[in-house]
Amino acid sequence: MEVLGLALTFFALGMASSIIYKDYKLSVRLASISAFLGSIFVFITAIEGIKRRIELELFKYFFPIPIEIDPLASFFLLTIGFIGAVNSLYSLKYMERFDRRAWLYALAYNGALASSILFVSTSNIERFTLFYELLALFSFILIVWDNSRISVRYGWIYFITTQIFGVIPLLLASAIAFTAVGDVHYLTFHELKLNLDKIHSLLPLLYGLFLVSSLVRSGVFPFHFWVPKVYRSIPSNFVVLFIIMEGLGFYGLIRTTYLTLPPSRNLGYIIAALGTLSTFATAYAFKSVKLKRKMAYHSIMDIGFAYLALGIGMILLPVDHMFSTMALFGALLHVLYQIVYKSSIYLFMGSLEYIGTDPDIFSIKRIYRGITFVLAVIPVLSLSAVPPFAAFTSKWLVYQSALASKDVLIVLMFSFAAFMGSFSLASFINLKRMLDKLYKEEVEVEEIPTLIRLSQGVLAAVALILGPISWMEFSWLVKSLKEIIIFPPTGDTLEIFLPITLFSVMALAILFGSLILAYKIGKMQNSKISELLLIFYNIGDILRDVGKFLISGIYTLYINYLARVITEIPKSEIINSIEDLYKFKNRYLDELVVMPFLRFIQRLVKDVEERVVDMNALLTFAAVGFALLIIIFGVGT
Amino acid sequence: MLDPTNGGSVVKLVLASFIIPLIIGIALFRLDGRKANIVMISSFFFAMIFQVVNALNYLKTMHHEKVIHVPLLATERLGEVYGIIIDPMSVLIGTVVAVAGFIFMFYGIEYMSPRNRHHPVKKGKGLFYAWMTIFEGATLGFIYSSTFLQLLIFFELMGLACWGVVSYYGTPAGYRAGFKAFIVPNIGAIIGFYTAIWLGITQLHDLSLFALKNLDESLKLPLFLALLIAGYTKSAQFPTYSWIPDAMAAPTPASAFLHGAAMVEMGVYLVARVLQFMAPLPIKVFYIMGIFVSLTLLVAVLNYPAQKDAKRLLAYSTIAEAGVMFVGLVYASLGYISGIQAAMYQLTTHAFIKGLAFLTAGTFSYSLGTLDMTKIKGLKDILPLNGFAWSVALLGLAGIPPMGIAFSKAEILTNLKAMEISWFAWVPIIFVLLDSIVFFAVAITWIKRMVLSKTERKKPHTHWMINISLATLIVLSLIVAFIALPLVEEISFLR
C-alpha cells in the first residue's frame, strides 16, 4: 500500500474512532494519535515526493483520485505533515480541557487534515474542488464545535463566505476547464494547460474565479473579515489547522494560475495590490488586546505579504526571470515560515488557555519569563523579521526583487508593505513594555504539561533554525522547487539568494531601517501610536461602512420597494423587516396582467345574464371589432 | 437510424412502461384502501423496473449513439402519426421519472394515511392514486413520443392529471389552483402544438419530429416560438409562472412529482426535444429566450425571502430551477449541444433534490401538522433525519456541492463560450449565480431557524416508510450526477 494511502487510512480510523468509543478522553486520544500517525506518513510521503515525482491513483475502484505529487506539492505536504504531527501531539493533552463532542472533534480534525492532503496532492480539477469543499465543511465544524453562540455565529459567516466566494467560483472554474478538456475523467491541470486555446475568451474569467477562491481560503483582503472573528473564538490547536489552510489557499493560487494558466501581468498587479492591502491588518493587530485576535491580524498581514510577493513574481516573470523567481521563492518561504512560527505562537496561547485563562496581556502574568514564555519569544522574533530569524530571509528576497523591478507601482506597494511590516515588531515591543510595567517579578506559577511544552518547544526550535537553515540549504531548496520555476537560474544556486547588487544592499538597509523604526514606534506612548495609525483605522472604518451601507442599501431597497412588487402590501403599511412580509399574500405578476381582462369578461357575462342587452350596441361593437380584425389581417398580408 | 431487430425488446419495454400505468390508472378510480396501495405501487414499481432495465439494456447492448425510431402508425396524408424515439435523452429522463415517481409514491402510501396530522386521509385515496398513475404514464408517453400529435395527447393528459391531483382535497383554493394548472399549459398547448400540427398537415405532410428538417427556413422561427410558449406555460416560466405556487394545494407526493420529475420538467424537455431537431436557430431566439429566462430567475429571486410556507418556497425554487434548465437551452438555440446536455443534466439532478425537498416538507405536514416554517423549530432534536434532509435539500438547491445539482449547474456555465458570439451570453449566467446566492442566504436562514434552533416540543410521530424514502433520496441526490453522466454525454442533435 502506498504511504499516502496509509496516512489516509489513519485519518479515516481517527474519524471513525470516536463513534466506537463513547468515553471522551479515550476518543480524543485515539483521534489525536491517529492524526499524529497519519501526519507522520504524510511527512514520509513528502520526503519521497521531493526525491521523485509520485503519480498514482487512490481508491481506483471506488472513487478514483488521481494523485500527482511534484516538488511544490511535497513542499506543502512536508509542512502539513510536520505541523499536523506536532499539533496532534499537543492536542492529546490540550483537548483534556474539554469534556464533550469528542466524536465531532475526531471527525473534523482528522477530516480537515485528510482533505488538506488530498487538496494538495490531486491533479484533477474536479477533485481539487471537492477537497476544497470538504476543507470548508470540516473547518466549519471545527469552528462550531464548542456550540457557543459566538462561534456558531462566526461559523456561519465563515461557511457562507467559503461557499459563495470559494466553492461556487471553483465549481464554475471546473466547468470552464471541462469545456476546454472535454472529458471529466482527464480533467487535470496539465490537460487544461494544453487545451487553453479552446477557451481563450474565458481566460480572464478563469483567472478571476481561481483568484477569488484562493483569497477566501487564505483570508486575504477583501475576504479577511472572518479571520480575526474565527481565530478568536476557537481552540488554539484548531487555529493551527486554519493557518495551514491559509497556506493552502496560496498553494491553490500557484497551482491554478502560475503553473496552469499563461502568465498575466495584470493578474500579478491585482494579487500584489490585494496582498498590500492585507498588510494593513497590522494596524489592527496593534490595538487588539486579546492575543488570539492580535495574532489573527498578524496572520492576515503575513499571508498578504506572501500574496504581494507572488504578485511581484508574476509581474516580473516576462521581464526578469531571476528576480521573478526570487520573489516567488520569497513568497513560498514566507508562507512556510508563517505557518511554523504562527503555529508555535498559537500553541503558546493554547498553553495560556490550558491553565484556564483567556490569552491576553494579563494572563501572560502567570507564565511570564518562564520557559513557556521564552519559547513564545522565538517565533515572535521570527515573525518580526529580526535577523537571522525566518521572516528576515523571505522579506529580504522579496524586497530585493521589488526594488529591482524598477516598476513604480511595485515599489509603491512594497514601500507600503515594508512600512506596515515594521508595526509587527513594534506591537510586540509595545506589549513587552506594558508587561514590564505591570509585572516586575518573574513568575511561573502554573504547571504546564510536558507534552504541551514539548510540542511548543519543537515548533519554536524549528522557527529558530528555519531562517539559518534556509540560508544553508539553498541548493536543496532550489533543486526541490526547480520544477515550479519556469526559467530556472543557471550556475551557482546561491546566485539567486545572494546576488551582490545594489538592490540587495538597499533591501538590507530597508530591513534594518524597519527594525529601527519598529523599535522607536514600540517605545512610543500608546496614544501617540494610535494617532499615527488613525489614518489607517479611518480607511478601515470607511471600507467597513461602505460594505455595510451597500448591504443595508440592498436590504432597504428590497423591503421598501421590490417586496411591494411581489407581495400585496397596502400602501399605508410600513415594512421594517423581512418577517413583516410573511403576513401578506404573494402578488402574481402574470395574474396582474391577465386578471383585468378576465374580470372584464366575467362582468360582461354577468351583464348579459342579468339584464336585457342593447342588441344594437352589441352588433355595432361586433361590427367594429370585425372591421379592425380585417384591417389588421389586410395589413399583415 | 432504426434497427428493429435489436430495438424490438427495448421498444416493448418502453411501450409497457407507459401503457401499463395508463390502464392501471383508470382501474384505480374504482379502488381504495390497501388494494389501491398495492395496485398503485405495483404499477409504479413495474414502470421503474422497465425503465431501469431499458436504460441498462440501452447502455450495454445498443450502440447508444444510435437512435431507435419506431413509427407506430403512419398514413399517406399525415405521414407518421404515432411513434417512439429512444435516444440517450429519452432513456435518461424516462428513467429519472420512473425512479423518482416510485420513491415519491412509496412515500405517498404513508403520507395518504390517517396518521398524517395535516391532511389525514381515511378514504378516497384511489382517486389520487389514479390521477398519479395516469400522470406517470402520460409523462413517460410524452418523453418517448416522436410526433406532434402524440406529444399533444400526452401533454393534455398530463394537464388533466395535474388538474386531478391539484384539486384532490376539494377545497375552493384547490379547485381554483387545479383549474389554473390545467388552463395555463392548455393555452400553451393550443398555441404550440396546434401550430406544429397545422404546419405538419399543410406543409410537411408528416407529423413526425424528424420531418422538421424539411421545414421551410422562414417557418422555423414562428414554429419554434409557438412551441416555446407551450414549453414556458408547462414549465411555469415568466410570464406564466403563477400557476405553480398555487398548485401547492396538491398532496405533497404529487407536488414532488410535478415539480421534480414531471409536468414542469416536461416543458423543458419539449423545448430540448424540438431543439434537437431544429437548432441552430436565428440569433433572435437566443436573445428572446435569454431575456425571458432572466426575468423568470429575477421573479424567483425576489420571491424567495418573502416566503414562510415551505412548499411555496420550493415552488419558487422550481420556477428558478426550470429557468436554469432553460438557460442551457438558450445556448442550445445557437447550436451548442452542451446546452441541451447541461439542461438534461440539471433536470436529472434536480429531480431528486427537489423530490427530497418536497418529501421533507411533506413530513412537516405529516409529523408536525404545519408547513409554516416560522412554527417549526429544533428539527435536529425532534426529527433529526428530516432536519438533515431539509438542510441537504436546501443547500443542494442553492448549488452547494457535494450535492449532484451543483455539478449540473456548473455544467451550464460551460456554455459561456457562447460569449464569442454575443456578450449577452453572460446575462442568463449572472442571473443563475444571483439565484444561487439569494437562495443560499435564504436557505441558511431557514436551516438555522428550523433545524439548529431549540424547541420544547416532544418527538413527534414518524414512519419507517417516510424515513427510507428520505434516506434513499439523500443518497441519490449525492450520487446521481455520477450515475447520469454517461448518458448525458451521449445526448446529441437529431437532424
Side-chain angles (χ1 to χ4, degrees):
Chain A
M1 194 190 226
E2 289 87 4
V3 185
L4 191 66
L6 269 177
L8 291 173
T9 309
F10 275 109
F11 290 128
L13 284 175
M15 289 166 87
S17 63
S18 55
I19 300 168
I20 305 163
Y21 297 100
K22 295 288 171 207
D23 178 65
Y24 176 84
K25 276 193 177 173
L26 190 61
S27 295
V28 161
R29 277 179 195 165
L30 276 174
S32 304
I33 290 170
S34 304
F36 171 75
L37 292 172
S39 304
I40 294 289
F41 283 112
V42 172
F43 194 77
I44 295 169
T45 308
I47 291 172
E48 247 187 79
I50 288 167
K51 287 184 203 154
R52 62 173 181 90
R53 202 183 183 88
I54 301 173
E55 283 182 35
L56 54 104
E57 196 167 51
L58 286 175
F59 313 119
K60 205 180 280 179
Y61 302 107
F62 171 61
F63 183 69
I65 303 171
I67 298 288
E68 204 176 310
I69 301 176
D70 59 4
L72 179 69
S74 306
F75 183 79
F76 278 89
L77 285 181
L78 203 69
T79 316
I80 300 171
F82 171 65
I83 302 285
V86 175
N87 196 44
S88 304
L89 266 188
Y90 181 90
S91 304
L92 259 176
K93 203 74 196 166
Y94 176 83
M95 289 305 289
E96 284 180 3
R97 292 176 58 223
F98 309 99
D99 60 357
R100 64 189 71 177
R101 286 185 283 278
W103 68 276
L104 212 53
Y105 157 72
L107 180 86
Y109 186 85
N110 282 282
L113 277 171
S115 347
S116 302
I117 287 144
L118 290 166
F119 177 78
V120 172
S121 318
T122 188
S123 57
N124 183 297
I125 299 173
E126 190 211 348
R127 300 287 188 267
F128 179 83
T129 307
L130 181 71
F131 297 128
Y132 184 103
E133 167 68 344
L134 286 178
L135 259 180
L137 279 176
F138 287 125
S139 49
F140 165 70
I141 298 174
L142 286 174
I143 299 172
V144 298
W145 172 77
D146 72 349
N147 205 23
S148 69
R149 198 180 57 82
I150 201 119
S151 61
V152 169
R153 184 160 169 252
Y154 294 153
W156 281 111
I157 293 174
Y158 170 79
F159 186 64
I160 292 169
T161 313
T162 49
Q163 294 304 312
I164 294 182
F165 299 104
V167 177
I168 293 176
L170 263 190
L171 209 66
L172 300 181
S174 310
I176 295 175
F178 175 73
T179 313
V181 177
D183 188 340
V184 76
H185 309 294
Y186 299 99
L187 195 60
T188 58
F189 291 109
H190 182 66
E191 284 297 320
L192 173 63
K193 193 175 181 173
L194 294 180
N195 290 289
L196 281 174
D197 53 322
K198 292 181 190 164
I199 47 159
H200 188 69
S201 56
L202 295 179
L203 269 182
L205 177 65
L206 214 48
Y207 281 121
L209 293 170
F210 282 137
L211 174 63
V212 169
S213 60
S214 297
L215 293 176
V216 173
R217 189 62 279 153
S218 292
V220 170
F221 181 87
F223 302 106
H224 61 287
F225 50 87
W226 61 268
V227 177
K229 293 183 169 75
V230 168
Y231 288 15
R232 164 79 186 84
S233 61
I234 60 175
S236 294
N237 58 336
F238 293 180
V239 181
V240 172
L241 294 190
F242 277 86
I243 289 169
I244 292 177
M245 286 183 237
E246 283 181 13
L248 294 188
F250 183 81
Y251 164 82
L253 190 60
I254 296 189
R255 176 67 69 203
T256 52
T257 57
Y258 196 91
L259 294 182
T260 308
L261 303 182
S264 160
R265 279 173 69 87
N266 290 341
L267 181 71
Y269 280 113
I270 294 170
I271 294 174
L274 294 173
T276 309
L277 285 168
S278 304
T279 60
F280 167 48
T282 341
Y284 284 88
F286 211 100
K287 71 171 183 181
S288 299
V289 179
K290 298 287 179 192
L291 293 182
K292 283 171 91 174
R293 198 181 175 84
K294 192 184 197 68
M295 293 316 300
Y297 281 117
H298 278 297
S299 244
I300 300 172
M301 189 267 171
D302 270 323
I303 200 77
F305 184 79
Y307 271 70
L308 165 67
L310 177 64
I312 295 173
M314 281 187 176
I315 299 166
L316 293 183
L317 191 59
V319 189
D320 191 319
H321 305 144
M322 195 173 91
F323 284 113
S324 164
T325 310
M326 188 186 274
L328 180 67
F329 265 46
L332 273 170
L333 287 179
H334 200 73
V335 171
L336 166 72
Y337 297 157
Q338 113 101 359
I339 293 176
V340 174
Y341 58 64
K342 214 54 73 58
S343 302
S344 178
I345 294 173
Y346 270 102
L347 293 196
F348 164 68
M349 310 238 207
S351 308
L352 294 177
E353 286 170 332
Y354 188 83
I355 55 171
T357 58
D358 193 17
D360 58 21
I361 187 164
F362 302 105
S363 65
I364 296 182
K365 165 195 168 186
R366 298 168 72 174
I367 50 174
Y368 187 43
R369 290 181 190 167
I371 182 73
T372 314
F373 184 75
V374 174
L375 290 178
V377 173
I378 298 165
V380 163
L381 291 174
S382 297
L383 181 153
S384 311
V386 174
F389 293 106
F392 173 76
T393 313
S394 52
K395 283 194 174 176
W396 191 19
L397 288 173
V398 179
Y399 285 13
Q400 283 181 65
S401 53
L403 288 169
S405 71
K406 298 171 196 163
D407 182 315
V408 180
L409 278 175
I410 292 181
V411 172
L412 272 176
M413 290 190 280
F414 144 75
S415 309
F416 181 82
F419 177 68
M420 292 314 294
S422 59
F423 283 91
S424 297
L425 180 62
S427 76
F428 293 113
I429 294 174
N430 185 267
L431 186 72
K432 166 86 171 53
R433 194 169 56 82
M434 285 197 286
L435 275 170
D436 286 342
K437 270 189 185 172
L438 283 170
Y439 309 107
K440 297 287 180 195
E441 294 169 19
E442 280 189 26
V443 277
E444 175 140 13
V445 289
E446 301 290 343
E447 195 56 47
I448 292 170
T450 317
L451 199 58
I452 287 189
R453 275 190 182 167
L454 181 72
S455 316
Q456 204 194 322
V458 169
L459 276 189
V462 173
L464 179 71
I465 59 169
L466 211 51
I469 272 199
S470 307
W471 288 101
M472 289 185 283
E473 294 295 332
F474 288 150
S475 52
W476 173 79
L477 264 175
V478 174
K479 194 181 151 210
S480 63
L481 297 176
K482 201 172 177 180
E483 280 192 40
I484 69 160
I485 309 165
I486 295 176
F487 300 99
T490 50
D492 189 354
T493 47
L494 274 177
E495 269 181 22
I496 190 165
F497 285 90
L498 285 173
I500 307 299
T501 61
L502 176 66
F503 304 120
S504 58
V505 178
M506 277 169 69
L508 206 58
I510 291 173
L511 268 169
F512 279 105
S514 302
L515 292 177
I516 295 165
L517 181 68
Y519 182 76
K520 294 271 181 202
I521 297 171
K523 291 286 177 189
M524 279 163 74
Q525 291 297 318
N526 279 10
S527 55
K528 282 195 176 171
I529 302 169
S530 297
E531 272 174 37
L532 189 68
L533 290 174
L534 196 62
I535 182 169
F536 298 113
Y537 295 143
N538 286 343
I539 293 170
D541 289 345
I542 290 167
L543 284 174
R544 200 172 39 243
D545 288 346
V546 168
K548 277 186 184 168
F549 173 77
L550 286 176
I551 292 171
S552 72
I554 293 170
Y555 189 79
T556 316
L557 177 76
Y558 181 74
I559 59 169
N560 287 341
Y561 302 100
L562 298 175
R564 286 179 189 272
V565 178
I566 51 105
T567 37
E568 294 178 358
I569 306 168
K571 275 188 181 168
S572 56
E573 196 78 33
I574 297 166
I575 305 293
N576 294 316
S577 70
I578 282 185
E579 295 251 339
D580 294 345
L581 299 175
Y582 295 156
K583 57 183 184 235
F584 300 105
K585 263 184 73 178
N586 277 111
R587 174 183 284 147
Y588 297 141
L589 302 179
D590 50 355
E591 276 196 7
L592 209 66
V593 177
V594 178
M595 280 318 271
F597 177 67
L598 289 180
R599 283 201 195 98
F600 171 73
I601 294 179
Q602 254 178 346
R603 213 169 45 233
L604 207 67
V605 172
K606 212 174 168 187
D607 283 350
V608 172
E609 281 173 359
E610 281 179 2
R611 55 185 146 117
V612 183
V613 190
D614 181 350
M615 288 307 286
N616 286 337
L618 205 64
L619 279 174
T620 315
F621 184 72
V624 171
F626 272 120
L628 277 173
L629 276 176
I630 290 163
I631 291 164
I632 291 165
F633 277 114
V635 172
T637 52
Chain B
M1 187 185 293
L2 167 68
D3 187 352
T5 47
N6 280 343
S9 61
V10 176
V11 173
K12 279 177 197 158
L13 276 176
V14 166
L15 286 172
S17 70
F18 68 83
I19 290 173
I20 291 175
L22 288 174
I23 295 168
I24 292 180
I26 294 166
L28 271 164
F29 280 111
R30 308 283 299 167
L31 297 176
D32 205 352
R34 262 178 87 85
K35 263 188 202 168
N37 286 346
I38 293 164
V39 173
M40 179 277 294
I41 204 66
S42 309
S43 160
F44 272 85
F45 179 72
F46 283 117
M48 178 178 73
I49 293 295
F50 292 155
Q51 283 298 328
V52 171
V53 170
N54 181 26
L56 293 176
N57 216 3
Y58 187 79
L59 275 171
K60 274 185 185 169
T61 59
M62 302 289 155
H63 300 288
H64 36 90
E65 67 274 18
K66 281 193 178 175
V67 176
I68 302 169
H69 173 211
V70 184
L72 297 173
L73 175 70
T75 67
E76 204 171 308
R77 210 164 66 83
L78 296 176
E80 185 186 340
V81 183
Y82 300 119
I84 298 284
I85 305 178
I86 302 169
D87 70 329
M89 191 162 106
S90 51
V91 171
L92 173 70
I93 306 303
T95 312
V96 169
V97 169
V99 173
F102 174 75
I103 299 170
F104 299 165
M105 291 316 289
F106 176 78
Y107 164 100
I109 292 175
E110 181 53 31
Y111 187 86
M112 303 299 287
S113 73
R115 290 175 290 279
N116 187 328
R117 285 188 62 183
H118 199 195
H119 293 292
V121 178
K122 286 181 183 139
K123 59 179 182 176
K125 59 182 167 186
L127 177 67
F128 173 67
Y129 288 168
W131 283 126
M132 281 302 292
T133 315
I134 291 171
F135 207 155
E136 188 189 49
T139 309
L140 290 173
F142 183 82
I143 288 167
Y144 288 99
S145 296
S146 68
T147 72
F148 281 112
L149 183 63
Q150 195 175 330
L151 280 169
L152 172 67
I153 291 168
F154 286 121
F155 191 94
E156 292 292 27
L157 207 51
M158 274 193 276
L160 195 66
C162 185
W163 167 81
V165 292
V166 173
S167 51
Y168 170 73
Y169 285 130
T171 58
Y175 278 132
R176 186 183 185 275
F179 181 67
K180 199 168 161 186
F182 178 70
I183 209 78
V184 174
N186 215 344
I187 293 169
I190 290 170
I191 296 170
F193 287 109
Y194 288 17
T195 310
I197 292 169
W198 175 63
L199 284 176
I201 295 170
T202 57
Q203 303 283 319
L204 302 167
H205 308 293
D206 193 348
L207 296 176
S208 169
L209 289 164
F210 286 94
L212 284 172
K213 61 175 177 286
N214 303 323
L215 190 66
D216 190 80
E217 283 298 317
S218 63
L219 290 171
K220 272 191 174 177
L221 182 65
L223 174 63
F224 180 77
L225 291 178
L227 286 165
L228 190 63
I229 292 171
Y232 276 178
T233 53
K234 199 76 163 169
S235 294
Q237 297 294 287
F238 185 83
T240 56
Y241 68 94
S242 74
W243 70 265
I244 197 87
D246 280 351
M248 291 297 97
T252 300
S255 302
F257 195 60
L258 74 92
H259 283 254
M263 200 70 179
V264 172
E265 278 66 23
M266 288 309 111
V268 182
Y269 184 83
L270 168 70
V271 178
R273 191 52 122 190
V274 172
L275 279 169
Q276 273 188 306
F277 292 92
M278 292 179 85
L281 287 156
I283 198 158
K284 280 179 202 163
V285 173
F286 169 71
Y287 290 118
I288 294 169
M289 287 179 78
I291 290 168
F292 276 97
V293 83
S294 303
L295 288 171
T296 303
L297 287 164
L298 184 64
V299 166
V301 164
L302 290 178
N303 274 285
Y304 290 149
Q307 308 308 317
K308 66 168 180 173
D309 182 293
K311 278 174 81 175
R312 268 188 179 276
L313 176 67
L314 297 180
Y316 282 105
S317 146
T318 299
I319 295 171
E321 295 300 335
V324 175
M325 295 170 209
F326 268 111
V327 170
L329 300 183
V330 170
Y331 303 110
S333 73
L334 293 173
Y336 290 116
I337 189 61
S338 54
I340 296 182
Q341 288 175 343
M344 292 302 107
Y345 200 21
Q346 166 77 2
L347 195 159
T348 306
T349 55
H350 172 252
F352 296 100
I353 200 88
K354 186 49 69 66
L356 177 66
F358 267 106
L359 296 201
T360 313
T363 63
F364 302 152
S365 288
Y366 177 89
S367 297
L368 306 170
T370 181
L371 281 167
D372 185 343
M373 293 189 282
T374 57
K375 291 180 183 159
I376 301 169
K377 286 188 171 64
L379 285 174
K380 72 175 185 334
D381 299 321
I382 54 170
L383 291 167
L385 176 67
N386 309 45
F388 181 65
W390 188 237
S391 309
V392 168
L394 290 188
L395 292 176
L397 287 171
I400 302 298
M403 276 64 86
I405 194 168
F407 298 98
S408 58
K409 281 192 180 181
E411 175 106 7
I412 298 277
L413 196 90
T414 61
N415 296 289
L416 253 185
K417 57 193 170 197
M419 225 172 78
E420 286 158 2
I421 297 175
S422 165
W423 62 268
F424 187 78
W426 265 105
V427 176
I429 293 290
I430 288 170
F431 279 96
V432 171
L433 294 176
L434 180 71
D435 171 74
S436 272
I437 291 168
V438 175
F439 193 87
F440 181 65
V442 172
I444 288 285
T445 312
W446 286 119
I447 291 171
K448 275 167 75 179
R449 244 175 117 158
M450 297 166 71
V451 183
L452 303 174
S453 53
K454 290 189 168 52
T455 182
E456 297 297 312
R457 203 169 184 158
K458 281 183 186 167
K459 277 196 171 191
H461 164 77
T462 183
H463 195 272
W464 65 268
M465 286 178 85
I466 284 178
N467 292 344
I468 284 182
S469 310
L470 295 185
T472 312
L473 281 172
I474 291 172
V475 174
L476 278 174
S477 60
L478 288 170
I479 61 171
V480 67
F482 298 100
I483 300 173
L485 200 59
L487 274 169
V488 170
E489 283 176 339
E490 296 293 337
I491 295 173
S492 59
F493 286 120
L494 303 172
R495 291 164 192 145

